[in-house]
Amino acid sequence: MTFFEFLVQYWPRLLSGAGVTVVQFFLAAVLGIALSVTMGLMKLSPNRLVSGAAITYIEFFRGTSLLVQLYWIFFVLPLFGLTIDKFTAGYIAVGMNIGAYGAELVRGGILSVPRGQWEAALALNMTPAKRMWRIILPQALVNMLPPWGNLMIELLKGTALVSLISVADLMFEARQINSSTFLSAQVFGAALIIYYIMARFMLTPSMRWLERFMARKMGRA
Amino acid sequence: MDDLKGFPQELTGADRPMVSFRKVGKAYGPLTVLDDLDLDVAEGEMVSIIGPSGSGKTTVLRMLMTLEEINGGCIYIDGQPLTHMPKNGGLVRANQRHLRARRVDIGMCFQHFNLFPHMTALENCMEGPVQVLGMPKTEARARSEELLEMVGMIEKRDQHPSRLSGGQQQRVAIARALAMRPKVMLFDEVTSALDPEVIGEVTNVIRGLASEHKLTMLMVTHQMGFAQDISDRVCFFYGGKIEEQGPASELFGNPQRERTQQFLSAVKEAV
Ligand SMILES: Nc1ncnc2c1ncn2[C@@H]1O[C@H](COP(=O)(O)OP(=O)(O)OP(=O)(O)O)[C@@H](O)[C@H]1O
Ligand SMILES: [Mg+2]
């Protein structure tokens, strides 16, 4: 069977798998970004309890394997009475893992904003919350966009692991097709290409667009 | 925290100073930067602060802007304690809410402008009135445009700071601070980071403020000629103390203290 014939026959399943991958990616990204901002801010808190909680989260999720985290959430938590369906467990595990890396990016981005910006905002008598949201975070965002682009690609690739708890994503469909047809070269070749296209022609351009958009907002473009 | 003994809960009377430092001390660890500073500034007065590097000039302004905590004494603004608040008939260290309530009277311009880079000149000026004073946008815009007009920056209102020269940025920064209608304006070496040819455009704006408005101003500067021109009073700082102060003509024309004479002649030679 040629690669073309293979695609003609199996594209609906590959497409449905790719669709699930995209949804997993988006849900994990939303969770990951929310956690990144929350944990990044918490780590900067002068309150030791608050920063300690963030440090624990970050250390745990960065220091252990994503696959093991995924298995914990899906197989171990039910033993403690917390059952999560596989689809939800999938993006929660990936999102929490990415959030730990993102938190460090957020923290670094905030620290990279010059002190003078804080002081100018204080001199205008802005509340701490407004200083953060209106003055510091927008500038931190500009500084951290390039590393966020890399993190988003890692996130996309990380979603492939959810196939191991039987979420029917692209990798899961590929493995299913492979086990019934043994067309390994075709099926994993197709998966490889689809992941590459998503990363290279969808994710990267969106991040570039965001970078240009923010540069315009800063009057730099 | 440390209660203050023997300090009045407020300053009253028609001739009360707009700004009053009373026995204010500041130390960074073992380093005492200011020692029992007493300094009163009357309403509408323009006071310049000069002195050698490290003598504590910037620290004085930063304490007044509440960017630095003080270690002793009390600062009053418009009769009310700034660094402290009344409690049980005495004064205790101010909390954030008290600081926010008193800080509205004070505006500051920095050596490096510190404009918000993600906002245009106009947005920089509108940010405080809209976000802090809760002013409607149309009103904030009108006020900001008026001020940008005054500092000669109205044509550049839609430019971001990255597109402006240092002198232009500093003029926007002055407009931004004035948009909050402070009673006291602080200028910390606002021309030190500027190219010589644009210093004039900033000093002219400050000159205008000094002559037309009843704004109270405290200015740290290394430009002796400018200080002499526009100040009602000049304070010479040395080692965290006011070594000598007086009307500009007297301090520059006939300095009494040896350190003042040395400093002024050293500055003159450097020019
Ligand atoms: N955050 C800080 N930590 C420790 N020491 C500080 C700090 N800020 C200022 N100092 C010290 O306090 C002293 C006074 O500093 P200040 O900035 O007020 O001087 P200045 O008169 O403004 O000097 P310059 O003319 O160089 O601006 C200096 O010895 C300085 O090193
Ligand atoms: Mg200074």
Side-chain angles (χ1 to χ4, degrees):
Chain A
M1 191 185 256
T2 66
F3 188 57
F4 182 73
E5 285 166 341
F6 169 82
L7 283 184
V8 168
Q9 188 170 347
Y10 288 104
W11 72 265
R13 287 181 65 185
L14 290 172
L15 193 67
S16 119
V20 171
T21 292
V22 168
V23 174
Q24 282 280 324
F25 169 82
F26 271 109
L27 291 172
V30 168
L31 178 67
I33 290 169
L35 277 170
S36 299
V37 175
T38 315
M39 294 296 164
L41 288 174
M42 280 172 63
K43 190 169 174 187
L44 288 167
S45 165
N47 184 323
R48 297 279 281 282
L49 225 62
V50 174
S51 63
I55 290 170
T56 308
Y57 163 80
I58 293 169
E59 283 301 311
F60 179 78
F61 279 92
R62 285 209 315 182
T64 58
S65 141
L66 169 55
L67 185 57
V68 180
Q69 292 159 19
L70 185 67
Y71 279 15
W72 255 85
I73 289 177
F74 188 62
F75 295 116
V76 182
L77 285 188
L79 302 181
F80 297 100
L82 186 64
T83 307
I84 303 172
D85 70 274
K86 60 190 177 192
F87 189 86
T88 312
Y91 72 79
I92 284 184
V94 181
M96 289 190 81
N97 183 268
I98 284 301
Y101 290 90
E104 287 295 345
L105 294 187
V106 169
R107 179 175 161 276
I110 288 171
L111 290 177
S112 73
V113 177
R115 242 169 83 93
Q117 292 292 310
W118 290 94
E119 298 184 345
L122 184 107
L124 287 180
N125 209 9
M126 296 176 92
T127 60
K130 286 213 162 139
R131 291 205 293 265
M132 184 54 89
W133 285 105
R134 296 204 44 94
I135 307 301
I136 304 303
L137 273 183
Q139 297 182 57
L141 179 62
V142 175
N143 295 342
M144 63 189 170
L145 270 184
W148 264 105
N150 292 331
L151 195 58
M152 285 293 121
I153 288 174
E154 288 305 316
L155 168 57
L156 175 67
K157 294 191 277 193
T159 59
L161 288 181
V162 303
S163 67
L164 296 174
I165 55 168
S166 305
V167 176
D169 75 333
L170 176 58
M171 193 58 197
F172 180 83
E173 293 294 351
R175 283 174 40 222
Q176 293 284 87
I177 296 168
N178 181 53
S179 59
S180 57
T181 64
F182 299 104
L183 296 168
S184 303
Q186 286 90 330
V187 66
F188 291 122
L192 216 61
I193 291 169
I194 296 173
Y195 276 116
Y196 181 74
I197 288 175
M198 288 198 281
R200 183 68 185 76
F201 297 105
M202 290 154 79
L203 211 46
T204 305
S206 325
M207 291 306 293
R208 284 283 137 72
W209 178 86
L210 205 58
E211 278 172 41
R212 273 201 308 276
F213 175 79
M214 289 308 293
R216 249 200 322 278
K217 283 216 78 152
M218 302 286 277
R220 286 205 204 122
Chain B
M1 291 265 296
D2 47 345
D3 290 14
L4 279 183
K5 300 261 183 305
F7 283 80
Q9 292 220 334
E10 59 176 335
L11 309 180
T12 50
D15 58 348
R16 64 164 199 265
M18 177 56 85
V19 175
S20 185
F21 290 80
R22 301 244 170 141
K23 297 209 174 314
V24 172
K26 175 71 189 172
Y28 292 105
L31 176 71
T32 300
V33 177
L34 288 169
D35 201 13
D36 270 357
L37 175 72
D38 285 310
L39 173 64
D40 282 1
V41 183
E43 183 171 9
E45 195 180 12
M46 165 55 131
V47 172
S48 286
I49 296 175
I50 63 169
S53 182
S55 57
K57 308 181 297 294
T58 296
T59 305
V60 171
L61 298 194
R62 289 175 59 85
M63 291 187 313
L64 186 50
M65 190 66 256
T66 69
L67 290 168
E68 302 285 351
E69 282 196 2
I70 65 175
N71 302 122
C74 182
I75 304 176
Y76 294 83
I77 181 113
D78 201 13
Q80 303 295 318
L82 167 75
T83 52
H84 294 74
M85 54 187 188
K87 193 180 173 190
N88 304 333
L91 286 176
V92 298
R93 195 163 282 269
N95 59 20
Q96 288 303 317
R97 175 207 287 260
H98 179 82
L99 288 177
R100 267 180 55 71
R102 304 304 323 149
R103 212 153 37 205
V104 292
D105 290 337
I106 313 163
M108 182 163 181
C109 292
F110 302 86
Q111 184 173 354
H112 297 288
F113 335 127
N114 302 351
L115 287 180
F116 305 134
H118 54 305
M119 300 180 188
T120 64
L122 183 64
E123 287 164 349
N124 263 279
C125 296
M126 290 171 60
E127 183 68 9
V130 172
Q131 297 297 330
V132 179
L133 306 179
M135 188 184 284
K137 280 201 172 159
T138 46
E139 196 183 335
R141 178 183 300 269
R143 176 186 285 194
S144 300
E145 285 181 339
E146 194 178 302
L147 286 163
L148 286 173
E149 177 86 56
M150 188 190 86
V151 300
M153 287 298 296
I154 191 70
E155 258 107 69
K156 303 271 184 185
R157 83 191 102 184
D158 296 322
Q159 298 286 345
H160 283 81
S162 56
R163 297 292 180 83
L164 302 175
S165 73
Q168 293 173 329
Q169 289 188 57
Q170 194 59 284
R171 284 185 281 153
V172 173
I174 294 173
R176 176 177 70 177
L178 290 173
M180 298 296 283
R181 298 264 161 94
K183 293 175 182 162
V184 181
M185 272 288 281
L186 312 177
F187 299 95
D188 187 15
E189 292 194 39
V190 289
T191 56
S192 292
L194 300 179
D195 291 333
E197 69 270 19
V198 300
I199 287 178
E201 65 191 46
V202 173
T203 52
N204 280 338
V205 168
I206 298 175
R207 222 182 276 272
L209 290 176
S211 64
E212 287 162 32
H213 297 255
K214 59 174 210 158
L215 200 57
T216 306
M217 294 195 268
L218 265 158
M219 174 174 85
V220 172
T221 184
H222 286 298
Q223 290 178 269
M224 298 305 148
F226 180 51
Q228 182 164 10
D229 268 7
I230 74 160
S231 313
D232 299 311
R233 179 157 49 115
V234 179
C235 296
F236 172 66
F237 270 70
Y238 190 93
K241 283 190 161 70
I242 300 179
E243 177 80 11
E244 183 172 355
Q245 61 176 315
S249 55
E250 279 175 31
L251 191 120
F252 287 109
N254 186 19
Q256 299 300 308
R257 312 276 298 199
E258 200 182 327
R259 282 183 179 136
T260 321
Q261 294 161 1
Q262 281 168 356
F263 175 75
L264 289 176
S265 65
V267 170
K268 214 171 278 165
E269 268 166 38
V271 170

